[in-house]
Amino acid sequence: KMKAAEKLMKVFVTRRIPQEGMKLLSAAAECEVSMWDSDEPVPRAELLKGVQKANGLLCLLSDKIDAEVLDAAGPNLKIISTMSVGFDHLALQEIKKRGIRVGYTPDVLTDATAELTVALLLATARRLPEGVEEVKNGGWSSWKPLWLCGYGLSGSTVGVIGLGRIGLAIAKRLMPFGVQRLLYSGRSAKSEAAEVNGEYVPVDTLLSESDFIVVSCSLTPETQGLCNKAFFSKMKNTAVFINTSRGAVVNQEDLYDALSTGQIAAAGLDVTTPEPLPTDHPLLTLKNCVVLPHIGSATYSTRSVMSALSVRNLLCGLQGTEMPNELTL
Ligand code: NDP
């Protein structure tokens, strides 16, 4: 007979997660779950306390999981499951060293994030937030030939930096708008680029030839600060820059300069450093900069599926079985 008390696995969940995930977690009889039961991030001290003796940790991208957290957890920690596809918040070397497995949520958020990226690109290029504001503040006096003009996709060249799952999904959605050339850069050419007639080019070529530049790479030491002064100086003055990857890929001071001097036409960001971006940040004073609060994957169904997948990953990690989506360390 199983001695229930001995078998209980301690799990710490760093946030209130959608119902689908909660249901799966509650049904897992082998788990003793403690949760930071809030919609706000867990304070660091509570995280360090909460993980103590945990066998499993379910976290979000806003939780920095570093050596301090792993030490606080102690040697029982087997599995870290993050409800995100990005894993730049996880100290992977430290995690690997300790033999801890990692689960994440690729694919299930690809469509939602690609869709949001297209929405942000169109909103930025066609100046939707400015237009909405003018309607409300009385700036709309009449139809004027050059008022609120922007840039269209038809006949354009689009450059995607990081043609991964999301990058490809973005490209597929943009092509039907009449895009003429689809360029992409990254560490290697991709066979699936053929689906969008993608041309693998050096990043400098992508910068000088693209009318729209979309950043959808992962944040790594190599891509940190990739979009800096030198990067923006190679772009066309009429080009639109979109980032839905991670804020730290962009040097925001350099982006501010590029936008305010007319070096580039406009920028749309779903991700910033820090998050939230302080309301007095210089970027928010610019009309040609559209900033969204990191809502790439924010559809009800996507977040539900993400929560369920992250719980499944967690439970498999606890049981030592194959996970639906394990990150190779
Ligand atoms: P993938 O791993 O499929 O794609 C990442 C891409 O980044 C790969 O194609 C990779 O290309 C590329 N890349 C890596 N290093 C470099 C480099 N040095 N230069 C250029 N490209 C590089 O991940 P996903 O498409 O699923 O997700 C991508 C990122 O999007 C996530 O890491 C996350 O940060 C972000 N994201 C943001 C969301 C939001 O809400 N805004 C939602 C979901 C994800 P290669 O294989 O050639 O190295």
Side-chain angles (χ1 to χ4, degrees):
K1 229 179 155 187
M2 185 172 99
K3 283 171 246 154
E6 279 176 24
K7 283 280 184 184
L8 274 187
M9 297 277 202
K10 270 179 65 91
V11 166
F12 184 61
V13 181
T14 64
R15 196 82 64 89
R16 210 178 271 157
I17 60 169
Q19 260 188 9
E20 285 66 16
M22 280 314 299
K23 267 190 248 160
L24 283 177
L25 202 51
S26 317
E30 72 273 26
C31 289
E32 179 195 317
V33 179
S34 75
M35 176 167 71
W36 179 250
D37 193 10
S38 165
D39 294 324
E40 298 302 321
V42 59
R44 184 77 180 174
E46 296 295 331
L47 172 61
L48 292 172
K49 207 164 75 192
V51 293
Q52 279 174 31
K53 300 203 170 78
N55 303 100
L57 172 63
L58 197 158
C59 68
L60 308 191
L61 54 84
S62 43
D63 308 312
K64 190 156 193 51
I65 308 301
D66 53 14
E68 188 187 17
V69 174
L70 301 173
D71 288 343
N76 293 338
L77 190 61
K78 278 193 168 77
I79 160 79
I80 298 169
S81 173
T82 183
M83 194 179 121
S84 64
V85 68
F87 44 80
D88 50 278
H89 56 302
L90 309 177
L92 295 185
Q93 292 310 323
E94 295 291 336
I95 290 169
K96 186 177 177 171
K97 214 164 73 185
R98 291 164 170 82
I100 299 166
R101 295 166 74 193
V102 173
Y104 69 138
T105 64
D107 301 312
V108 297
L109 43 55
T110 295
D111 288 351
T113 307
E115 190 172 274
L116 186 280
T117 306
V118 173
L120 177 58
L121 184 149
L122 293 172
T124 305
R126 296 299 300 274
R127 305 170 61 177
L128 300 194
E130 268 184 89
V132 169
E133 189 54 35
E134 296 287 13
V135 172
K136 289 184 182 169
N137 68 19
W140 183 16
S141 59
S142 74
W143 190 95
K144 296 179 222 162
L146 285 175
W147 190 50
L148 283 176
C149 285
Y151 299 92
L153 280 162
S154 184
S156 71
T157 296
V158 170
V160 177
I161 298 189
L163 196 77
R165 287 174 292 252
I166 295 170
L168 183 65
I170 295 166
K172 283 182 182 167
R173 284 160 175 74
L174 291 179
M175 294 313 280
F177 284 93
V179 170
Q180 194 167 27
R181 293 177 72 204
L182 192 291
L183 313 179
Y184 72 102
S185 67
R187 289 176 301 183
S188 57
K190 311 274 174 219
S191 57
E192 57 277 19
E195 296 174 47
V196 291
N197 284 320
E199 304 169 39
Y200 183 58
V201 295
V203 68
D204 281 4
T205 308
L206 183 147
L207 295 177
S208 61
E209 296 185 6
S210 297
D211 302 300
F212 298 89
I213 291 178
V214 180
V215 180
S216 56
C217 60
S218 34
L219 172 61
T220 67
E222 221 181 296
T223 60
Q224 174 142 17
L226 171 75
C227 309
N228 59 13
K229 190 178 167 65
F231 178 104
F232 295 121
S233 72
K234 290 169 192 150
M235 284 173 61
K236 297 183 186 180
N237 299 145
T238 51
V240 174
F241 174 83
I242 303 296
N243 181 21
T244 51
S245 65
R246 284 290 181 266
V249 173
V250 174
N251 179 316
Q252 290 177 172
E253 283 77 49
D254 292 350
L255 176 60
Y256 176 85
D257 290 343
L259 288 168
S260 57
T261 60
Q263 172 58 47
I264 70 171
L269 313 173
D270 184 44
V271 286
T272 59
T273 40
E275 294 183 1
L277 193 65
T279 53
D280 61 356
H281 193 281
L283 280 175
L284 299 179
T285 65
L286 299 174
K287 286 192 166 174
N288 57 348
C289 187
V290 178
V291 182
L292 298 180
H294 201 150
I295 53 173
S297 67
T299 70
Y300 292 109
S301 64
T302 298
R303 290 285 167 80
S304 288
V305 172
M306 287 168 70
S307 74
L309 178 54
S310 58
V311 170
R312 279 194 209 101
N313 284 335
L314 177 84
L315 297 178
C316 292
L318 290 173
Q319 288 150 11
T321 56
E322 196 184 329
M323 285 182 221
N325 287 103
E326 178 164 7
L327 186 68
T328 311
L329 297 182

